[in-house]
Amino acid sequence: VQLVESGGGLVQPGESLRLSCAASGFPFSDSAMNWVRQAPGKELEWVSTIQAGGRPHYPDSVKGRFTISRDNALNRLYLQMDMLKSEDTAVYYCAKGCAWRGGAFQRCDYQGQGTQVTVSS
């Protein structure tokens, strides 16, 4: 399994970024895919999931601002992030094999090296 993120950067509050993830080494089109993030000093946080069939899921913290999508022909996962806030600052990871317990995000079996997103004025 190889996951390679790109697209991070420094933006001002209210601006947008689009993250990409190039996936290989597994049947991408059959796999649910995720974005997770980790801010300095904080635990890994679930950001979004897209099922193999394309249905998306979001936590309340990003719902209405972030959009997850996939291109199965290119084995690519995307995260469109709009109306960014300072609290969105984190390293963002593309991830596979994520688990929840009792509705709470636990961990992922695979994730990439991450891409830094910094939201600051």
Side-chain angles (χ1 to χ4, degrees):
V1 174
Q2 188 171 18
L3 303 167
V4 180
E5 304 93 339
S6 61
L10 171 63
V11 296
Q12 295 187 350
E15 294 186 338
S16 299
L17 273 177
R18 188 190 194 211
L19 306 184
S20 296
C21 171
S24 61
F26 64 97
F28 179 81
S29 61
D30 295 337
S31 302
M33 294 298 298
N34 311 270
W35 287 98
V36 297
R37 67 186 180 187
Q38 189 162 28
K42 295 189 177 181
E43 293 187 350
L44 201 62
E45 177 189 15
W46 170 63
V47 174
S48 61
T49 295
I50 186 166
Q51 296 180 350
R55 182 178 180 182
H57 304 272
Y58 307 95
D60 289 343
S61 58
V62 307
K63 193 175 295 182
R65 301 189 298 120
F66 289 12
T67 304
I68 190 172
S69 62
R70 64 192 301 159
D71 186 330
N72 290 336
L74 296 178
N75 281 12
R76 290 241 177 200
L77 180 72
Y78 303 100
L79 184 68
Q80 177 67 40
M81 305 186 293
D82 298 318
M83 296 180 286
L84 282 161
K85 305 176 181 180
S86 57
E87 51 262 45
D88 295 318
T89 294
V91 178
Y92 284 70
Y93 300 92
C94 172
K96 176 184 179 301
C98 299
W100 282 257
R101 179 181 294 174
F105 171 71
Q106 298 294 305
R107 57 165 181 75
C108 300
D109 291 334
Y110 302 97
Q111 58 190 63
Q113 84 290 346
T115 186
Q116 176 70 49
V117 172
T118 302
V119 185
S120 175
S121 56

